[in-house]
Amino acid sequence: MKSGTIEEGNRTFLCFEREQQLIFKGYYDLRARDNEWAMYSRLGPHKWLPVIYGKGEMGGDGGIFFKNEGESLTLEEWQSEDVMAFAYHRLRDLHSWNIHHHDVSPQNIVRRRDGSLVLIDFEMAVDSSDCDLGEQCPDLEMMDWIKERVPVSASELESRGVGVGEGISRALGWGIGLVGVLLPYLFYSFSAAIMPTFLF
Ligand SMILES: [Zn+2]
């Protein structure tokens, strides 16, 4: 791999394209890739989700191309009220759509340059019918933990933590099940200049 930098985790690795605009997230277990892909497909575009360009392969490992939305939060940032309210409301949204994230942490929330927040890393996410943890569901525990610390019921919190970076997914304008999921991801705001340096 000549270009970009690589970060390795236990289940996945990340490659950053030279200009740092594109991320290839590789999965050592393809089922994790397919699971994450399926979750994003179910959710469709939201201002608080990363932009996805498509599936791909690198060095024999399957992965997903994401827009690099920004830096993961620090522990200190995580403790701010807007971030906790963001996490609470996103979990609430996900659960209302029968999706459990199961891995919400400072590392899995990134902040865009405009200050808006993005929830990432759905490789551990499950359909609610596949969560048999009951009250021990980590999402519910997280929501309880947040509720004890910040007022989350007020509707004004809804607007916090989510800034103006919403045009991205709005503009995407695709519907799940319309043309499948691959094409819309692939062609939205795709920069041809980025890909060649990334792949070769
Ligand atoms: Zn759960």
Side-chain angles (χ1 to χ4, degrees):
M1 205 105 37
K2 278 185 284 186
S3 64
T5 53
I6 302 179
E7 278 176 25
E8 277 200 284
N10 292 331
R11 298 183 301 265
T12 60
F13 63 93
L14 297 178
C15 301
F16 295 86
E17 160 272 333
R18 208 177 282 140
E19 305 295 322
Q20 302 278 313
Q21 295 179 43
L22 184 68
I23 292 175
F24 177 81
K25 181 178 180 182
Y27 304 74
Y28 299 124
D29 182 345
L30 255 194
R31 286 171 302 183
R33 195 273 304 264
D34 292 342
N35 186 60
E36 179 145 29
W37 181 266
M39 291 299 162
Y40 282 120
S41 304
R42 258 177 79 169
L43 288 165
H46 291 276
K47 56 193 173 185
W48 47 272
L49 288 175
V51 171
I52 300 174
Y53 295 119
K55 290 188 198 178
E57 200 178 284
M58 190 175 281
D61 291 307
I64 299 175
F65 290 98
F66 291 95
K67 178 178 182 177
N68 186 359
E69 300 280 9
E71 298 280 326
S72 288
L73 297 180
T74 61
L75 261 180
E76 202 180 346
E77 288 174 302
W78 168 248
Q79 285 161 21
S80 74
E81 207 170 278
D82 70 319
V83 170
M84 285 201 269
F86 171 83
Y88 179 90
H89 287 290
R90 299 299 74 85
L91 285 172
R92 191 201 54 186
D93 290 345
L94 291 172
H95 281 229
S96 73
W97 301 323
N98 296 320
I99 290 177
H100 292 195
H101 186 282
H102 283 181
D103 197 20
V104 171
S105 68
Q107 211 184 348
N108 291 339
I109 296 177
V110 301
R111 198 185 282 282
R112 295 190 181 104
R113 275 198 204 150
D114 65 12
S116 61
L117 297 166
V118 184
L119 180 61
I120 60 170
D121 272 359
F122 281 73
E123 79 212 38
M124 310 274 284
V126 298
D127 185 87
S128 56
S129 65
D130 293 324
C131 176
D132 51 11
L133 298 168
E135 292 299 306
Q136 267 89 54
C137 168
D139 290 4
L140 297 178
E141 289 184 335
M142 174 68 74
M143 289 167 84
D144 285 343
W145 185 84
I146 293 171
K147 253 195 299 193
E148 285 167 16
R149 283 160 181 82
V150 294
V152 287
S153 53
S155 59
E156 48 105 11
L157 277 175
E158 192 62 43
S159 59
R160 294 199 211 167
V162 189
V164 273
E166 58 191 84
I168 296 166
S169 5
R170 289 280 163 76
L172 193 53
W174 52 277
I176 281 299
L178 196 62
V179 211
V181 288
L182 184 57
L183 288 183
Y185 276 141
L186 267 177
F187 292 113
Y188 176 69
S189 81
F190 186 85
S191 161
I194 292 174
M195 202 56 126
T197 60
F198 194 54
L199 287 181
F200 302 108

